[in-house]
Amino acid sequence: MTETYPIQREILNDADTPIGVVKDEWPFLFEVPHLFDHASKLLGFSVQNKLAQELSKKEKGINDFLDSKGMKTGEGPIQLICGIAKYFKEDSYKLFDKKEISADPEVELPVTPCILVRGDQQFKIALDGLLVNDHITSPIVALSYVFSMFYVCNIQYPPEMAFTLEFMQRVFFGINPERGSKAEKKGKKRHFIPPQVCKLVSQLKEFECKQKESEWAI
């Protein structure tokens, strides 16, 4: 997989190649270790390690802020992302799906990467309506996997979750391009950070400062 990385990139960069074909030709790419190795080469850091480190530093503060706004949805990384989506008034269904594929063959999954939540320790990943991994047992691994897919497979963020994913990109992964966005639509390039994301980042910093001031006062 390491030696054939350039060939993999060539195929993945071809927008006309269906994901089903990629999976048939490179089945190991969709296994967690190989996908994460590929993403690390592409992005220059370990997505899983970066997310775990940033969550350990920021999860409580973000949860406290969401709780103060009545938007906290529960404990855990996936619940945190759902709370952020709630803040942005976005549709978390585009990233998290709770329906069983085999239960209803007519159910259509999002074409963009999404996590099929099957319990606290069972997660499946779907892309382009196909199940690409069905044996993930960690929410952090599931989130890291689905985020990696957007970059590995050159996929734009779905409009319904664009602000949430851009927030994750910038705050958790430190990917801060000054120009362009994975949320942009063809023909409508955006050369700025979405103001909604900037606003939340600013509010979080202000909330953190007020919390520290309260602690000092005590």
Side-chain angles (χ1 to χ4, degrees):
M1 293 299 288
T2 299
E3 293 174 355
T4 56
Y5 173 82
I7 302 174
Q8 295 168 46
R9 288 301 330 142
E10 184 177 351
I11 293 175
L12 291 164
N13 286 332
D14 183 357
D16 294 328
T17 304
I19 291 299
V21 172
V22 177
K23 192 172 186 300
D24 287 341
E25 293 187 5
W26 299 96
F28 289 110
L29 176 62
F30 296 89
E31 293 297 321
V32 169
H34 298 302
L35 179 71
F36 284 177
D37 282 346
H38 190 110
S40 294
K41 288 183 178 67
L42 185 65
L43 297 173
F45 61 86
S46 167
V47 174
Q48 181 183 359
N49 290 345
K50 184 75 170 177
L51 180 60
Q53 290 168 3
E54 293 303 307
L55 282 174
S56 69
K57 292 187 290 186
K58 299 171 180 175
E59 183 174 2
K60 184 181 183 304
I62 296 174
N63 261 330
D64 288 346
F65 170 79
L66 293 173
D67 196 21
S68 73
K69 300 291 184 181
M71 297 176 182
K72 186 176 177 181
T73 60
E75 299 295 333
I78 288 179
Q79 289 79 3
L80 176 70
I81 303 306
C82 286
I84 294 170
K86 189 174 182 180
Y87 169 90
F88 287 125
K89 298 180 181 178
E90 292 190 318
D91 186 0
S92 59
Y93 160 71
K94 284 294 181 177
L95 195 63
F96 307 108
D97 188 273
K98 296 184 178 181
K99 295 186 295 294
E100 182 61 59
I101 294 178
S102 60
D104 186 353
E106 299 301 320
V107 168
E108 292 186 7
L109 294 168
V111 296
T112 49
C114 69
I115 301 171
L116 312 182
V117 182
R118 299 294 177 263
D120 293 337
Q121 294 184 319
Q122 186 181 5
F123 309 93
K124 302 178 182 181
I125 309 296
L127 172 58
D128 203 17
L130 299 174
L131 193 64
V132 295
N133 191 299
D134 64 357
H135 44 275
I136 295 176
T137 58
S138 161
I140 289 181
V141 171
L143 282 169
S144 302
Y145 189 110
V146 81
F147 185 84
S148 295
M149 294 292 287
F150 282 103
Y151 283 83
V152 170
C153 297
N154 284 325
I155 299 170
Q156 289 185 327
Y157 299 148
E160 298 86 348
M161 281 289 280
F163 296 145
T164 301
L165 286 162
E166 185 129 4
F167 178 87
M168 290 177 63
Q169 165 198 315
R170 295 177 182 276
V171 174
F172 295 148
F173 298 106
I175 303 174
N176 294 295
E178 294 182 359
R179 296 174 63 83
S181 167
K182 287 187 75 64
E184 67 193 18
K185 296 180 180 179
K186 285 186 178 180
K188 295 182 179 180
K189 294 226 171 186
R190 295 163 53 191
H191 302 304
F192 55 86
I193 302 173
Q196 294 89 337
V197 175
C198 289
K199 180 180 177 181
L200 177 54
V201 171
S202 177
Q203 287 181 327
L204 286 169
K205 288 180 179 178
E206 183 179 344
F207 183 78
E208 183 181 2
C209 288
K210 287 182 178 179
Q211 279 190 318
K212 288 182 179 179
E213 289 175 359
S214 298
E215 291 173 1
W216 292 338
I218 294 173

